[in-house]
Amino acid sequence: MLIVGELINGMYANIGKAIAGRDKKAIQDCALSQVKSGADALDVNCGPASRDPVADIQWLIESIQEVTDKTICVDSSKPKVIESGLKTVKGRAILNSTTADLDKMDILVPLAKQYKAKLIGLTISAKGIPQNKDQRLELAAQIVSYCAEKEFPIEDLYLDPIAMPVNVAQSQQKEILEAIHEFKIISDPSPKTILGLSNVSQGSSQRSLINRTFLTMALGFGLDAAILDPLDSLLMDAAITSDLILNKNIYCDKFLEAYRKK
Ligand code: THG
């Protein structure tokens, strides 16, 4: 699976402070610790408190790129902030994200094409968050057909059914898991799937247990990628072991160690 580290997000107090105070070392340390723990890519989000997200996202990405060449996942709900981030990324970025709304896709799909970025499509719309699997599938199909029409490669599209907190949306979890499976059969070639995993445990105790159980199940339903906390080593162990069980890695008695040496 593709592991996207979630920790460079202004929503975290330490990162919010580092952005406001231009503390480059704090950002670089956070990037390197996630990479060392196994992150393949790094999500970068200025957070809700940023006063100048167009400038902040550039500073964040420049700081990170000084210490690692891992893929940058440019995370914002504002197209101007996303464009500013994509301009700064050196390699191929992940654009996080568009919704299924036409006004968003009309701007963001051409941007993803222009910068040869991969694209995350959230199965939400201005009408709100879908309440069952079929509503998620309807929005997913709208995103896939829009991308196909504009000749955006479907293999580079990651559909996100949006993980919701289990303590307030318990009946949604099975709908989300089944949506992950069915997104894969919308088209051939299949779109990929991704989740912002930590959403599922927001407001709950036992967060780590809920996160790793949900991740393991989602991988069983065909999940390709997750935005998660790579410093949670039990979570990473569960991810690595799931890939083994799903025959994505060769078995050996020391598979955790072998994977981490990759
Ligand atoms: N899908 C996509 N992108 C996303 C999300 C998604 N980006 C943002 C988010 N969701 C994924 N990242 C996080 C990061 C942190 C938390 C949840 C998701 C989190 N933070 C603690 C909390 O809210 O309790 C903050 C704790 C603190 O302040 O220290 O849980 O779904 N495509």
Side-chain angles (χ1 to χ4, degrees):
M1 69 170 302
L2 179 82
I3 290 165
V4 184
E6 73 181 6
L7 296 177
I8 302 180
N9 189 319
M11 161 207 308
Y12 289 105
N14 62 330
I15 299 297
K17 248 169 85 183
I19 296 171
R22 289 291 187 262
D23 180 355
K24 201 198 266 191
K25 185 166 183 300
I27 300 299
Q28 292 176 336
D29 287 350
C30 183
L32 286 174
S33 66
Q34 294 184 85
V35 170
K36 198 168 153 243
S37 303
D40 304 302
L42 299 171
D43 194 68
V44 180
N45 184 319
C46 303
S50 166
R51 292 225 199 99
D52 187 357
V54 169
D56 286 349
I57 199 135
Q58 289 201 356
W59 174 78
L60 280 170
I61 293 168
E62 279 162 8
S63 303
I64 297 162
Q65 288 183 149
E66 282 178 20
V67 294
T68 176
D69 56 9
K70 292 287 179 195
T71 301
I72 303 287
C73 181
V74 183
D75 186 356
S76 174
S77 56
K78 300 187 184 88
K80 286 255 168 296
V81 179
I82 288 179
E83 184 170 14
S84 167
L86 291 177
K87 269 187 204 152
T88 316
V89 173
K90 284 185 197 148
R92 271 189 90 181
I94 302 173
L95 191 168
N96 186 13
S97 50
T98 184
T99 61
D101 296 302
L102 268 182
D103 58 338
K104 275 284 184 79
M105 293 196 289
D106 279 342
I107 301 171
L108 294 170
V109 174
L111 259 189
K113 269 186 83 168
Q114 183 188 340
Y115 287 93
K116 295 192 169 42
K118 299 187 181 188
L119 174 66
I120 297 177
L122 307 178
T123 58
I124 51 172
S125 71
K127 287 189 206 138
I129 297 185
Q131 293 304 315
N132 59 43
K133 181 188 72 178
D134 287 340
Q135 289 173 4
R136 289 185 172 86
L137 272 168
E138 193 178 324
L139 293 168
Q142 285 172 18
I143 298 170
V144 169
S145 59
Y146 186 96
C147 286
E149 197 181 302
K150 303 286 172 181
E151 296 182 331
F152 179 84
I154 301 301
E155 313 86 276
D156 289 344
L157 174 66
Y158 285 79
L159 292 173
D160 183 338
I162 315 243
M164 295 166 76
V166 67
N167 67 344
V168 295
Q170 194 172 352
S171 67
Q172 288 301 307
Q173 306 307 321
K174 223 175 116 208
E175 305 286 320
I176 291 167
L177 291 170
E178 287 174 3
I180 290 168
H181 173 68
E182 295 193 21
F183 285 174
K184 305 291 293 186
I185 45 184
I186 287 179
S187 77
D188 183 13
S190 285
K192 294 190 168 63
T193 52
I194 190 164
L195 275 176
L197 183 68
S198 301
N199 301 2
V200 74
S201 63
Q202 269 174 332
S204 294
S205 52
Q206 300 283 3
R207 290 198 69 172
S208 172
L209 174 62
I210 293 171
N211 289 343
R212 70 181 177 273
T213 305
F214 192 63
L215 179 65
T216 304
M217 294 180 74
L219 288 167
F221 277 83
L223 186 74
D224 297 294
I227 304 168
L228 52 72
D229 175 4
L231 305 191
D232 180 342
S233 66
L234 287 176
L235 177 64
M236 291 298 287
D237 286 355
I240 295 164
T241 311
S242 298
D243 273 357
L244 178 77
I245 305 271
L246 292 168
N247 196 29
K248 292 184 187 162
N249 281 315
I250 290 170
Y251 177 76
C252 68
D253 283 327
K254 298 200 169 177
F255 64 90
L256 288 175
E257 278 170 55
Y259 178 94
R260 291 203 158 101
K261 274 188 200 144
K262 274 202 314 189

